[in-house]
Every structure is written in C-alpha cells, then in structure tokens.
Amino acid sequence: MSENPQVDAARQYHSGTKHSYLSVRMHPHFLDWENKPLLFKLYPTLEVIRLPRDFQDTGKSALAAIAAESVQANSESIPDLETLAQVLFFSAGVTKSRKHPQGEIFFRAAACTGALYEIELYVICTNIRSRIQLADSRSALPAGVYHFGAAEFGLRQLRAGDFRQAIVTAAGDDPSVAHAPVIIVSTGTYWRNAWKYQSRTYRHFGWDNGTLLANLLAIGWAMNLPARIFAGFLDREVNALLDLDSNREVALSLVALGHTESAPAGAPTAGPLALPTVAYSAKEVDYASMREMHEASSLDSATEVIAWRGTAPHNQLPPAHDTTALLPVSDSRPAADTVEQVIARRGSTRQFSRDPITLAQLSTMLEGATGGIPADFLEPFGSHLNDLYLIVNNVAGLAAGAYVYHWQERLLELLKRGEFREKAGYLGLEQQIPADAAVDVFFLADLERILERYGNRGYRAVQLEAGIIGGKLYLAAYAQKLGCSGLTFYDDEVVSFFSPHARGKSAIFLVALGRSRLRKSDTGRA
Ligand SMILES: Cc1cc2nc3c(=O)[nH]c(=O)nc-3n(C[C@H](O)[C@H](O)[C@H](O)COP(=O)(O)O)c2cc1C
C-alpha cells in the first residue's frame, strides 16, 4: 500500500509553502539569472519529426468550446497528424515571442507562472495517418512514445511500437484510455519552475498543467475529439514508460484523446533508455519537500487507482442570502471569435484600467468556467472541489464587495458590501494587478474533506482543477476582449478575509479579471 492515505504529507506541504506578509520578508529569494533554466526539454540525439502548421479553421466559437461538455465517444474518432498537431499547438505551442535586452521570450498558448513553462507533453499513440494521404499508405506518425518539442514544433520518438496498453494498465484499465488512439501525458520538471518559486512549485504544477489542459479541452472539442483527463494512475509505471528521472521530472496527468473501437492487445517491454537531454542549468537545486509530496501522493496498485475514480465529495455551501443571479451568457460580437483566434491573442494582463465590466460579461466568464470538467476525479460530471469567492471592485450592475459563488444555482451571494480594492491588492501578494482588476476570483477549498476522500493525491487534484478553471477564465475573458491574469496570494489572510463563510478552508488560487489598461492590449498581451 502507498503512503497516499497518510495525509499529513499534504497538510505539511501546504502549510510549509504558505505565503504571508512575514514569510516573503523573512525569506526573500533572489534570482540567479546566470543559472536560469532552459525553457525547453531537448533530446539532441533523436531526430525531429516536424509537425504541420497549416491549421484548419474550426469555426467553433471559443465561448461555446469553454463551456462545452466533452464530445461523446461513440464513433471512430482517430485524429490525423494535422489534427494532433493543431491540438498540441493550441495547448502548448509557442504562439508569440518578444525581444528584450537579455534575449527573447517565447510565450505559449497557455499561461504559466513566471513564463518558465515547466510542463512538458508526451504523446503515446497508435499509427496516425495524415490527412494528405501518403502514396504508399504508410502511417504519417508510426505508433510510438514521443516527446513534444514546443520550440521546434515537432515530435521526437522515444520508443517505437504501440505502448498504449502500458498506460491503460497504469490507469486501472479505464475504458476511455483503453479506446483512446492517442494519450497525452503532462509532466512537471521541478527545477524549471523552482529556480524562481522554490518549494511552491508543486502547487504551480497543478496550476500550469491546468491552464494548458483548459486549452486542450477547448481545442479538442472544437476539433470534435472526445477528451478525458486522468489524475489517478500508477506513477512509477508512467514515469518509467517516458524514461523520466523522477527525482527531477514526474508525470502529472493523462488525457485520453479520440476514440477507436479496437483496444491495444498488449505493449512491448519498456526498458530504461537513458537518453541524453540538454542540461537546463549549470547547477540545479533540489527541493526535497516537493519530491516527498509527490511520493506521498503516488499510487502503487490497481486497487488504489480504481478507488481513486468515482464520486467527488459532496460540496454544499450554506443556504444563500442576499443573492444576484447570473445573467444569460453574453452574445456580444467578439464572443463569436473561434478557439484558435482567442488562444492566439491570449496573454496575461500586466495592467488593468479600473474601468467596469458588465454583469453579463462576468456571468459569461463564470458560466463558461464552471460548466464541468471531464476528469476521473470529478464524477458525476459537474462536481467540483474548489469554491469561488470574489472581490468585486467594479462590475456594472453589482455592488462592490465580497461574494461567494453558488455553482448549482448560478448565484452570487453578497458576503460583505464595500470597497476592497486595496485589500485585494494586498491579498494578491501586494501586487497592483488585483487592486486594479474589475473582479478577483479567489479559489478556496475544504482540504480536509478532499484529503479524506482522495488521500494526499487530492492535493494534486484540487490544484489541477483550479488551474483548469483558471485557464477557462482566461479564455472566457479574452473571448470577450477582456483581460485576465493568474496570481499568487497570502494564504491565511485570504481565508480570514472571506470568513466566517470560508472558515476552515484553504486558499488554492487567484485569478484577476477586468479591462486592460492600454487600448491596444485589449486584444493581446498587456
Ligand atoms: C497560475 C498562474 C499564476 C500567476 N501568477 C502571477 C503573479 O502572481 N503575478 C503576475 O504578475 N503574473 C502572474 N501570472 C502570469 C504569468 O506571469 C504569465 O502567464 C506568464 O508570464 C506568461 O505570459 P502570458 O500569460 O502573457 O502568455 C500567473 C500566471 C499563472 C498561470
């Protein structure tokens, strides 16, 4: 049996990585720019298979894609190489670059803490055809295990052959995985993010993987592909298949993509590969608490994987008083922009204008982001682990104040009326962004209830869910030509601010929404 049921590990990691007014002053962290890690994983000895870039116009509205339930897996739906390329690009591809005196930053499709991009993607697939039929009908992408290189926009083959059954077994023989022609694995590389954020990186794994998966769900839906997320699997087996050095990089989630009637019969043996990769930095610092947290939340047996799946703990807020119902989803013109257009222009707003947004716009963002996530730990569909608490600074049609969101009823309940801009800035680690935003959405969760249901791995799940909802908020904001930014926060002070309603909960994540300061950046990065 694994250490997963001994939930002190998650409690300790969470309290040991809290930010507070004092902690950031007592333990300042100075960045060693000379030792900044590379932003990409590179396998120099493997050949690159370049992916096609002539993306098809899906014509599917981004807002519809964000709010959509996943595509039903009832017909043969095997992505061709062009479709797979489009899914990878709009999930984790390089969408923009910006030069600065020290070099060039390559921004990606999904937001990521510190633009450090520590989440890597791997593809495990059956034979994949090209839309442009090859003369000798060979597969355009032969069955194998591949690493996705965002910089070169290509795949490098780690293993040749159909290895899907290894993942099917690791995922407790789940039928969606067994019938998936493509499985996409996300990994997190500690040092790539810990260079800046030290031990808090384990939280960021969930957030940064989550924003990427929000994009993946949206583009997958737009391309008519069933997609389902799995956070419960045998860690050791998946890490071994990808040949990861699990002291440095670990698998975080799987996505079963597409559907095929046939299921893999078995997988070849996957021995160690010891493939060379380019060093990220001259030296790496090891933060043991994160490795311990990961180990303590790892699953060892099929019984544990199967027990992980299924009903989420019941999440019921006390009855609401003083409520405002969300308005119907806005059908303003920019909302018709496609998933590709919205992801291509998405950025993180660097400065908000303090101008109001409308209640209809806020409603559209909340509705879109809370419609449900197809994930193994969120059954029945529509279940959620996080509660959303809001500081409303400037929303036309809604009094300024603190609110809690009632998911089922689609209501905002006023907890306290008042002007909390300065407080929001303080709670968001004394940054200007949350003070200037029109609304700040704080994610809080009853960690004890979650750990009781899922063990330590529930900690991974609650952070991942927050990242996915946060990623959906990003897309729903940019779909309406509004701005958005993920943020970090002073943990306990957030809970105190929303108490007594939030008493006993833990602060998980924060997203600011509003209007960008510069007119130009209303449609792009501020
Ligand atoms: C989970 C998360 C937390 C973030 N926290 C902060 C923050 O505290 N302060 C900030 O200025 N930006 C924050 N950001 C924004 C990132 O810096 C930004 O995503 C990154 O630089 C990449 O730029 P882009 O989102 O414009 O593509 C956060 C983003 C995410 C996804």
Side-chain angles (χ1 to χ4, degrees), residues 48-91:
V48 59
I49 303 165
R50 304 261 177 211
L51 290 166
R53 277 178 176 274
D54 43 349
F55 303 127
Q56 129 196 12
D57 175 10
T58 64
K60 299 277 181 65
S61 129
L63 283 178
I66 298 155
E69 292 189 19
S70 58
V71 175
Q72 286 301 310
N74 48 17
S75 60
E76 201 73 358
S77 177
I78 305 177
D80 54 34
L81 185 64
E82 292 75 10
T83 303
L84 178 60
Q86 189 155 349
V87 168
L88 291 169
F89 181 81
F90 287 100
S91 303

Side-chain angles (χ1 to χ4, degrees), residues 92-277:
V94 174
T95 48
K96 295 175 194 164
S97 70
R98 194 170 55 205
K99 291 207 167 63
H100 60 93
Q102 287 79 39
E104 194 168 6
I105 308 182
F106 296 95
F107 291 96
R108 310 273 183 104
C112 179
T113 48
L116 290 163
Y117 305 113
E118 76 281 3
I119 306 297
E120 293 286 337
L121 296 184
Y122 296 80
V123 174
I124 295 123
C125 60
T126 182
N127 289 323
I128 299 291
R129 306 285 289 271
S130 168
R131 205 175 294 156
I132 310 137
Q133 197 65 44
L134 294 177
D136 58 3
S137 80
R138 268 177 314 152
S139 299
L141 189 70
V145 177
Y146 295 88
H147 170 256
F148 170 62
E152 60 203 10
F153 195 53
L155 294 169
R156 294 191 190 225
Q157 191 185 62
L158 308 185
R159 298 183 193 273
D162 191 344
F163 285 86
R164 288 175 299 146
Q165 183 57 38
I167 300 282
V168 175
T169 308
D173 288 313
D174 184 278
S176 334
V177 186
H179 290 278
V182 174
I183 300 152
I184 298 182
V185 185
S186 300
T187 68
T189 304
Y190 297 108
W191 169 244
R192 296 251 304 264
N193 192 268
W195 168 74
K196 181 167 183 188
Y197 298 105
Q198 302 170 283
S199 302
R200 214 166 144 100
T201 284
Y202 202 77
R203 300 184 184 210
H204 295 193
F205 276 180
W207 304 350
D208 295 334
N209 190 24
T211 58
L212 185 158
L213 292 179
N215 282 18
L216 199 161
L217 291 175
I219 189 71
W221 180 83
M223 305 210 71
N224 216 20
L225 285 171
R228 185 167 172 77
I229 296 168
F230 291 82
F233 52 85
L234 300 176
D235 297 81
R236 198 168 300 117
E237 282 68 7
V238 176
N239 291 339
L241 181 68
L242 304 180
D243 199 46
L244 305 181
D245 169 358
S246 58
N247 283 322
R248 298 167 67 232
E249 180 181 3
V250 287
L252 301 172
S253 68
L254 320 172
V255 175
L257 190 69
H259 179 80
T260 173
E261 282 307 311
S262 65
T269 324
L273 298 172
L275 292 166
T277 55

Side-chain angles (χ1 to χ4, degrees), residues 95-96 98 105 107-117 196-197 204 207-208 211 346-350 428-429 431 433 467 474 478 484-489 509-510 525-526:
T95 48
K96 295 175 194 164
R98 194 170 55 205
I105 308 182
F107 291 96
R108 310 273 183 104
C112 179
T113 48
L116 290 163
Y117 305 113
K196 181 167 183 188
Y197 298 105
H204 295 193
W207 304 350
D208 295 334
T211 58
R346 188 211 60 78
S348 290
T349 302
R350 302 292 81 202
L429 217 79
Q431 299 181 81
I433 292 174
Y474 261 102
Y478 276 80
C484 178
S485 182
L487 290 166
T488 198
F489 44 84
F509 189 38
L510 168 57
R525 175 171 295 106

